[in-house]
Amino acid sequence: MIPATQTAHFIANRWVAPAGGGTIPVVDPSDGAVFAYVARGNAADIDAAVGAARAAHDGGDGPWGRFSALERGRLMMRMAQAIADNAEELARLECRDTGKPMKQARADAAAFARYFEYYAGACDKLHGDTLPYQRGYTVLTLREAHGVTGHIIPWNYPMQIFGRSVGAALAAGNACVVKPAEDACLSLLRFAELAAAAGLPAGALNIVTGFGHEAGAALSAHPGIDHISFTGSPATGSLVAQAAAVNHRPVTLELGGKSPQLVFADADLDAAVPVLVAAIVQNAGQTCSAGSRVLVEQSIHDEVVQRLAAAFAALRVGPGEADLDCGPIINARQRARVQGFIDQARGDGLEVAAAGTLAASAPSSGFYVVPTLFAHVPAAHRITQEEVFGPVLATASFRDDAEAVRLANGTPYGLVAGVWTRDGARQLRLARKLQAGQVFVNNYGAGGGVELPFGGVKHSGHGREKGFEALLGFTCVKTIALRHD
Ligand code: ADP
């Protein structure tokens, strides 16, 4: 059992009981059992957290607002070190909370530390410009913090998504109010304690746990929030953006995808196939940038399917702690949804090329789905068009570059894309034509890429997370024009 203090919100560096007094049970997806409780936040809790954040920033005069860029950087480096020093504990919490295999949870903890390290180093490299203007003027821009930023975090990668979003916002000098997902927030509550111990002033980071329609909706609509960043489903992202629009607040939305990988006949298949598999199996397919479609040049389609099928048949699914290829799905509702896609595709007569196996050690009460490979999936089918958010891969073939691009771009989404070919001209031509925020050539994901701007087009959202680009998004430009002659 986690400490009882975590059935409270973290506001102004203290554990604060929820105003409504309620709790939410935390379920272990590996066996379906309740193993902890967290606080059920409401609008009053969000209001208290926003008040604490506003006081900490206070237009640059509060205890956090007064920090110089150098001081922010040094403190964030200490926070990065605290994450690294406690990585195993954080990874174990994340593994239990989300069901993800331990090796994935450990990689997430390492990335969490890396985000803080990266943004620590960026604090004092963030600056405005001087602009050439008419004679007699000097014009300069300041990059100022928005003030108070809101962060709505999903359950699939709590540490990583908190790291990229809150890390960048703090580095730019904002005070943060965070609403983690009700399904997975334990690692973030533990981090809050580490941040305070590292010296983060009260109110710079506040975490209110709770349901989306309660605490999340209250955060999106709060007039004391100056910017919202949201990662989650397109439908919820739209609600968040609508609520923020009432107060004319900017939003950054990262809303998932239906990302394609294009495999050409000249590709190095020995290099490609393990990556094609990992891109959909990682985190049981519950990854915004999962490579959920593989489009293959016609002449090698069946060979690629055979190779993928051999790899899928060897995949083993089980509890997070067993550290197999794939863990469970986050909750019973999502499991039913993912299984529903598979059942419908089978019912529609789609060809199942291979499926993984459930380990004997997997409790029957856990939320498991075996990775499933469908071949020759029509372009209009649901598993080509909709985000399954599970370990389901769909293949299809194309005849030439033009058809490859048409199929790749033929969904409502546009988050990332992969291209596998040795032809250098084609690599660049396609990278330009693909509708995506990131294009990977002869790799997929670049190992996570903390430094690389990430985000989508179309229904995948707008704005960019990660890298220096995210830092710019957490600032507001002020132009100062000085007439001296
Ligand atoms: P899922 O349905 O898979 O949980 P969501 O996109 O709904 O995906 O959830 C992502 C995050 O958004 C979670 O933290 C969730 O609590 C939050 N959320 C859900 N509904 C709302 C809402 N109406 N307003 C603000 N946040 C919400």
Side-chain angles (χ1 to χ4, degrees), residues 9-35:
H9 306 304
F10 187 82
I11 298 175
N13 282 7
R14 290 189 308 115
W15 293 108
V16 179
T23 56
I24 300 174
V26 183
V27 174
D28 181 342
S30 294
D31 62 10
V34 173
F35 72 101

PDB file of all heavy atoms in Angstrom, residues 9-35:
ATOM      1  N   HIS A   9      -3.972  15.968  -2.342  1.00  0.00           N
ATOM      2  CA  HIS A   9      -3.358  16.711  -3.449  1.00  0.00           C
ATOM      3  C   HIS A   9      -2.059  17.335  -2.957  1.00  0.00           C
ATOM      4  O   HIS A   9      -1.865  17.548  -1.762  1.00  0.00           O
ATOM      5  CB  HIS A   9      -4.288  17.824  -3.924  1.00  0.00           C
ATOM      6  CG  HIS A   9      -5.658  17.354  -4.281  1.00  0.00           C
ATOM      7  ND1 HIS A   9      -5.888  16.367  -5.212  1.00  0.00           N
ATOM      8  CD2 HIS A   9      -6.886  17.739  -3.822  1.00  0.00           C
ATOM      9  CE1 HIS A   9      -7.194  16.166  -5.313  1.00  0.00           C
ATOM     10  NE2 HIS A   9      -7.815  16.974  -4.476  1.00  0.00           N
ATOM     11  N   PHE A  10      -1.198  17.655  -3.911  1.00  0.00           N
ATOM     12  CA  PHE A  10       0.055  18.328  -3.573  1.00  0.00           C
ATOM     13  C   PHE A  10      -0.095  19.792  -3.982  1.00  0.00           C
ATOM     14  O   PHE A  10      -0.065  20.129  -5.172  1.00  0.00           O
ATOM     15  CB  PHE A  10       1.219  17.661  -4.322  1.00  0.00           C
ATOM     16  CG  PHE A  10       2.561  18.171  -3.918  1.00  0.00           C
ATOM     17  CD1 PHE A  10       3.190  17.677  -2.779  1.00  0.00           C
ATOM     18  CD2 PHE A  10       3.211  19.146  -4.662  1.00  0.00           C
ATOM     19  CE1 PHE A  10       4.443  18.142  -2.400  1.00  0.00           C
ATOM     20  CE2 PHE A  10       4.452  19.612  -4.288  1.00  0.00           C
ATOM     21  CZ  PHE A  10       5.071  19.113  -3.153  1.00  0.00           C
ATOM     22  N   ILE A  11      -0.318  20.637  -2.997  1.00  0.00           N
ATOM     23  CA  ILE A  11      -0.551  22.070  -3.277  1.00  0.00           C
ATOM     24  C   ILE A  11       0.377  22.880  -2.375  1.00  0.00           C
ATOM     25  O   ILE A  11       0.378  22.700  -1.143  1.00  0.00           O
ATOM     26  CB  ILE A  11      -2.033  22.445  -3.020  1.00  0.00           C
ATOM     27  CG1 ILE A  11      -2.953  21.642  -3.962  1.00  0.00           C
ATOM     28  CG2 ILE A  11      -2.252  23.947  -3.204  1.00  0.00           C
ATOM     29  CD1 ILE A  11      -4.442  21.835  -3.731  1.00  0.00           C
ATOM     30  N   ALA A  12       1.146  23.769  -2.985  1.00  0.00           N
ATOM     31  CA  ALA A  12       2.083  24.621  -2.248  1.00  0.00           C
ATOM     32  C   ALA A  12       2.994  23.799  -1.327  1.00  0.00           C
ATOM     33  O   ALA A  12       3.208  24.134  -0.154  1.00  0.00           O
ATOM     34  CB  ALA A  12       1.339  25.705  -1.455  1.00  0.00           C
ATOM     35  N   ASN A  13       3.513  22.703  -1.878  1.00  0.00           N
ATOM     36  CA  ASN A  13       4.459  21.823  -1.173  1.00  0.00           C
ATOM     37  C   ASN A  13       3.876  21.147   0.069  1.00  0.00           C
ATOM     38  O   ASN A  13       4.636  20.723   0.951  1.00  0.00           O
ATOM     39  CB  ASN A  13       5.745  22.586  -0.781  1.00  0.00           C
ATOM     40  CG  ASN A  13       6.684  22.763  -1.975  1.00  0.00           C
ATOM     41  OD1 ASN A  13       6.320  22.431  -3.095  1.00  0.00           O
ATOM     42  ND2 ASN A  13       7.868  23.277  -1.734  1.00  0.00           N
ATOM     43  N   ARG A  14       2.566  21.072   0.163  1.00  0.00           N
ATOM     44  CA  ARG A  14       1.949  20.345   1.284  1.00  0.00           C
ATOM     45  C   ARG A  14       0.920  19.365   0.745  1.00  0.00           C
ATOM     46  O   ARG A  14       0.358  19.570  -0.337  1.00  0.00           O
ATOM     47  CB  ARG A  14       1.256  21.337   2.242  1.00  0.00           C
ATOM     48  CG  ARG A  14       2.243  22.212   3.023  1.00  0.00           C
ATOM     49  CD  ARG A  14       1.549  23.012   4.114  1.00  0.00           C
ATOM     50  NE  ARG A  14       0.417  23.767   3.619  1.00  0.00           N
ATOM     51  CZ  ARG A  14      -0.844  23.553   3.980  1.00  0.00           C
ATOM     52  NH1 ARG A  14      -1.151  22.612   4.836  1.00  0.00           N
ATOM     53  NH2 ARG A  14      -1.829  24.297   3.473  1.00  0.00           N
ATOM     54  N   TRP A  15       0.651  18.324   1.520  1.00  0.00           N
ATOM     55  CA  TRP A  15      -0.426  17.390   1.167  1.00  0.00           C
ATOM     56  C   TRP A  15      -1.730  17.958   1.702  1.00  0.00           C
ATOM     57  O   TRP A  15      -1.856  18.224   2.888  1.00  0.00           O
ATOM     58  CB  TRP A  15      -0.155  16.005   1.743  1.00  0.00           C
ATOM     59  CG  TRP A  15       1.034  15.369   1.096  1.00  0.00           C
ATOM     60  CD1 TRP A  15       2.264  15.160   1.657  1.00  0.00           C
ATOM     61  CD2 TRP A  15       1.124  14.908  -0.258  1.00  0.00           C
ATOM     62  NE1 TRP A  15       3.120  14.597   0.731  1.00  0.00           N
ATOM     63  CE2 TRP A  15       2.444  14.427  -0.445  1.00  0.00           C
ATOM     64  CE3 TRP A  15       0.229  14.849  -1.331  1.00  0.00           C
ATOM     65  CZ2 TRP A  15       2.881  13.897  -1.658  1.00  0.00           C
ATOM     66  CZ3 TRP A  15       0.660  14.317  -2.538  1.00  0.00           C
ATOM     67  CH2 TRP A  15       1.983  13.853  -2.694  1.00  0.00           C
ATOM     68  N   VAL A  16      -2.657  18.181   0.805  1.00  0.00           N
ATOM     69  CA  VAL A  16      -3.909  18.842   1.165  1.00  0.00           C
ATOM     70  C   VAL A  16      -5.075  17.890   0.879  1.00  0.00           C
ATOM     71  O   VAL A  16      -5.209  17.380  -0.246  1.00  0.00           O
ATOM     72  CB  VAL A  16      -4.087  20.142   0.333  1.00  0.00           C
ATOM     73  CG1 VAL A  16      -5.392  20.828   0.664  1.00  0.00           C
ATOM     74  CG2 VAL A  16      -2.910  21.078   0.565  1.00  0.00           C
ATOM     75  N   ALA A  17      -5.902  17.657   1.887  1.00  0.00           N
ATOM     76  CA  ALA A  17      -7.041  16.736   1.720  1.00  0.00           C
ATOM     77  C   ALA A  17      -7.999  17.292   0.672  1.00  0.00           C
ATOM     78  O   ALA A  17      -8.179  18.516   0.570  1.00  0.00           O
ATOM     79  CB  ALA A  17      -7.765  16.576   3.048  1.00  0.00           C
ATOM     80  N   PRO A  18      -8.620  16.423  -0.123  1.00  0.00           N
ATOM     81  CA  PRO A  18      -9.538  16.901  -1.162  1.00  0.00           C
ATOM     82  C   PRO A  18     -10.740  17.614  -0.546  1.00  0.00           C
ATOM     83  O   PRO A  18     -11.290  17.144   0.464  1.00  0.00           O
ATOM     84  CB  PRO A  18      -9.959  15.631  -1.887  1.00  0.00           C
ATOM     85  CG  PRO A  18      -9.654  14.507  -0.955  1.00  0.00           C
ATOM     86  CD  PRO A  18      -8.509  14.951  -0.097  1.00  0.00           C
ATOM     87  N   ALA A  19     -11.142  18.736  -1.167  1.00  0.00           N
ATOM     88  CA  ALA A  19     -12.244  19.524  -0.616  1.00  0.00           C
ATOM     89  C   ALA A  19     -13.516  18.696  -0.498  1.00  0.00           C
ATOM     90  O   ALA A  19     -14.266  18.810   0.470  1.00  0.00           O
ATOM     91  CB  ALA A  19     -12.482  20.749  -1.506  1.00  0.00           C
ATOM     92  N   GLY A  20     -13.735  17.823  -1.485  1.00  0.00           N
ATOM     93  CA  GLY A  20     -14.953  16.995  -1.463  1.00  0.00           C
ATOM     94  C   GLY A  20     -14.794  15.737  -0.623  1.00  0.00           C
ATOM     95  O   GLY A  20     -15.758  14.976  -0.452  1.00  0.00           O
ATOM     96  N   GLY A  21     -13.588  15.472  -0.147  1.00  0.00           N
ATOM     97  CA  GLY A  21     -13.354  14.318   0.731  1.00  0.00           C
ATOM     98  C   GLY A  21     -13.285  12.971   0.044  1.00  0.00           C
ATOM     99  O   GLY A  21     -13.020  11.963   0.681  1.00  0.00           O
ATOM    100  N   GLY A  22     -13.495  12.904  -1.256  1.00  0.00           N
ATOM    101  CA  GLY A  22     -13.576  11.600  -1.931  1.00  0.00           C
ATOM    102  C   GLY A  22     -12.228  11.024  -2.317  1.00  0.00           C
ATOM    103  O   GLY A  22     -11.208  11.715  -2.334  1.00  0.00           O
ATOM    104  N   THR A  23     -12.238   9.726  -2.618  1.00  0.00           N
ATOM    105  CA  THR A  23     -11.035   9.063  -3.132  1.00  0.00           C
ATOM    106  C   THR A  23     -11.402   8.264  -4.381  1.00  0.00           C
ATOM    107  O   THR A  23     -12.577   7.985  -4.637  1.00  0.00           O
ATOM    108  CB  THR A  23     -10.404   8.103  -2.100  1.00  0.00           C
ATOM    109  OG1 THR A  23     -11.390   7.169  -1.698  1.00  0.00           O
ATOM    110  CG2 THR A  23      -9.860   8.836  -0.893  1.00  0.00           C
ATOM    111  N   ILE A  24     -10.378   7.901  -5.122  1.00  0.00           N
ATOM    112  CA  ILE A  24     -10.546   7.070  -6.327  1.00  0.00           C
ATOM    113  C   ILE A  24      -9.682   5.825  -6.132  1.00  0.00           C
ATOM    114  O   ILE A  24      -8.503   5.944  -5.797  1.00  0.00           O
ATOM    115  CB  ILE A  24     -10.064   7.835  -7.584  1.00  0.00           C
ATOM    116  CG1 ILE A  24     -10.876   9.116  -7.774  1.00  0.00           C
ATOM    117  CG2 ILE A  24     -10.146   6.943  -8.811  1.00  0.00           C
ATOM    118  CD1 ILE A  24     -10.366   9.995  -8.921  1.00  0.00           C
ATOM    119  N   PRO A  25     -10.250   4.635  -6.311  1.00  0.00           N
ATOM    120  CA  PRO A  25      -9.429   3.429  -6.187  1.00  0.00           C
ATOM    121  C   PRO A  25      -8.441   3.318  -7.343  1.00  0.00           C
ATOM    122  O   PRO A  25      -8.764   3.693  -8.474  1.00  0.00           O
ATOM    123  CB  PRO A  25     -10.458   2.284  -6.249  1.00  0.00           C
ATOM    124  CG  PRO A  25     -11.691   2.874  -6.843  1.00  0.00           C
ATOM    125  CD  PRO A  25     -11.654   4.355  -6.637  1.00  0.00           C
ATOM    126  N   VAL A  26      -7.246   2.839  -7.042  1.00  0.00           N
ATOM    127  CA  VAL A  26      -6.229   2.629  -8.077  1.00  0.00           C
ATOM    128  C   VAL A  26      -6.127   1.130  -8.329  1.00  0.00           C
ATOM    129  O   VAL A  26      -5.862   0.351  -7.411  1.00  0.00           O
ATOM    130  CB  VAL A  26      -4.858   3.186  -7.634  1.00  0.00           C
ATOM    131  CG1 VAL A  26      -3.833   3.023  -8.759  1.00  0.00           C
ATOM    132  CG2 VAL A  26      -4.972   4.654  -7.241  1.00  0.00           C
ATOM    133  N   VAL A  27      -6.346   0.746  -9.578  1.00  0.00           N
ATOM    134  CA  VAL A  27      -6.406  -0.671  -9.934  1.00  0.00           C
ATOM    135  C   VAL A  27      -5.110  -1.088 -10.624  1.00  0.00           C
ATOM    136  O   VAL A  27      -4.598  -0.367 -11.482  1.00  0.00           O
ATOM    137  CB  VAL A  27      -7.617  -0.918 -10.874  1.00  0.00           C
ATOM    138  CG1 VAL A  27      -7.631  -2.356 -11.381  1.00  0.00           C
ATOM    139  CG2 VAL A  27      -8.920  -0.579 -10.153  1.00  0.00           C
ATOM    140  N   ASP A  28      -4.591  -2.247 -10.230  1.00  0.00           N
ATOM    141  CA  ASP A  28      -3.420  -2.822 -10.891  1.00  0.00           C
ATOM    142  C   ASP A  28      -3.904  -3.548 -12.152  1.00  0.00           C
ATOM    143  O   ASP A  28      -4.609  -4.554 -12.048  1.00  0.00           O
ATOM    144  CB  ASP A  28      -2.740  -3.800  -9.920  1.00  0.00           C
ATOM    145  CG  ASP A  28      -1.488  -4.434 -10.508  1.00  0.00           C
ATOM    146  OD1 ASP A  28      -1.330  -4.397 -11.745  1.00  0.00           O
ATOM    147  OD2 ASP A  28      -0.690  -4.976  -9.729  1.00  0.00           O
ATOM    148  N   PRO A  29      -3.519  -3.061 -13.346  1.00  0.00           N
ATOM    149  CA  PRO A  29      -4.044  -3.685 -14.572  1.00  0.00           C
ATOM    150  C   PRO A  29      -3.570  -5.133 -14.745  1.00  0.00           C
ATOM    151  O   PRO A  29      -4.190  -5.900 -15.477  1.00  0.00           O
ATOM    152  CB  PRO A  29      -3.475  -2.825 -15.701  1.00  0.00           C
ATOM    153  CG  PRO A  29      -2.918  -1.616 -15.056  1.00  0.00           C
ATOM    154  CD  PRO A  29      -2.611  -1.951 -13.640  1.00  0.00           C
ATOM    155  N   SER A  30      -2.490  -5.495 -14.056  1.00  0.00           N
ATOM    156  CA  SER A  30      -1.957  -6.852 -14.213  1.00  0.00           C
ATOM    157  C   SER A  30      -2.844  -7.909 -13.566  1.00  0.00           C
ATOM    158  O   SER A  30      -2.849  -9.060 -13.984  1.00  0.00           O
ATOM    159  CB  SER A  30      -0.538  -6.941 -13.641  1.00  0.00           C
ATOM    160  OG  SER A  30       0.341  -6.143 -14.417  1.00  0.00           O
ATOM    161  N   ASP A  31      -3.591  -7.511 -12.494  1.00  0.00           N
ATOM    162  CA  ASP A  31      -4.481  -8.501 -11.868  1.00  0.00           C
ATOM    163  C   ASP A  31      -5.873  -7.952 -11.554  1.00  0.00           C
ATOM    164  O   ASP A  31      -6.714  -8.656 -10.982  1.00  0.00           O
ATOM    165  CB  ASP A  31      -3.835  -9.084 -10.596  1.00  0.00           C
ATOM    166  CG  ASP A  31      -3.589  -8.022  -9.530  1.00  0.00           C
ATOM    167  OD1 ASP A  31      -4.086  -6.880  -9.685  1.00  0.00           O
ATOM    168  OD2 ASP A  31      -2.890  -8.331  -8.544  1.00  0.00           O
ATOM    169  N   GLY A  32      -6.116  -6.699 -11.900  1.00  0.00           N
ATOM    170  CA  GLY A  32      -7.457  -6.135 -11.717  1.00  0.00           C
ATOM    171  C   GLY A  32      -7.800  -5.778 -10.275  1.00  0.00           C
ATOM    172  O   GLY A  32      -8.935  -5.396  -9.984  1.00  0.00           O
ATOM    173  N   ALA A  33      -6.817  -5.882  -9.350  1.00  0.00           N
ATOM    174  CA  ALA A  33      -7.113  -5.624  -7.924  1.00  0.00           C
ATOM    175  C   ALA A  33      -6.814  -4.168  -7.561  1.00  0.00           C
ATOM    176  O   ALA A  33      -5.871  -3.564  -8.069  1.00  0.00           O
ATOM    177  CB  ALA A  33      -6.269  -6.558  -7.056  1.00  0.00           C
ATOM    178  N   VAL A  34      -7.617  -3.650  -6.632  1.00  0.00           N
ATOM    179  CA  VAL A  34      -7.372  -2.300  -6.103  1.00  0.00           C
ATOM    180  C   VAL A  34      -6.181  -2.382  -5.149  1.00  0.00           C
ATOM    181  O   VAL A  34      -6.153  -3.231  -4.254  1.00  0.00           O
ATOM    182  CB  VAL A  34      -8.612  -1.782  -5.338  1.00  0.00           C
ATOM    183  CG1 VAL A  34      -8.295  -0.469  -4.638  1.00  0.00           C
ATOM    184  CG2 VAL A  34      -9.791  -1.614  -6.308  1.00  0.00           C
ATOM    185  N   PHE A  35      -5.168  -1.533  -5.346  1.00  0.00           N
ATOM    186  CA  PHE A  35      -4.010  -1.594  -4.453  1.00  0.00           C
ATOM    187  C   PHE A  35      -3.702  -0.265  -3.781  1.00  0.00           C
ATOM    188  O   PHE A  35      -2.777  -0.162  -2.974  1.00  0.00           O
ATOM    189  CB  PHE A  35      -2.774  -2.129  -5.186  1.00  0.00           C
ATOM    190  CG  PHE A  35      -2.174  -1.166  -6.180  1.00  0.00           C
ATOM    191  CD1 PHE A  35      -1.052  -0.430  -5.863  1.00  0.00           C
ATOM    192  CD2 PHE A  35      -2.728  -1.015  -7.440  1.00  0.00           C
ATOM    193  CE1 PHE A  35      -0.483   0.456  -6.772  1.00  0.00           C
ATOM    194  CE2 PHE A  35      -2.178  -0.137  -8.363  1.00  0.00           C
ATOM    195  CZ  PHE A  35      -1.055   0.601  -8.029  1.00  0.00           C
TER     196      PHE A  35
END
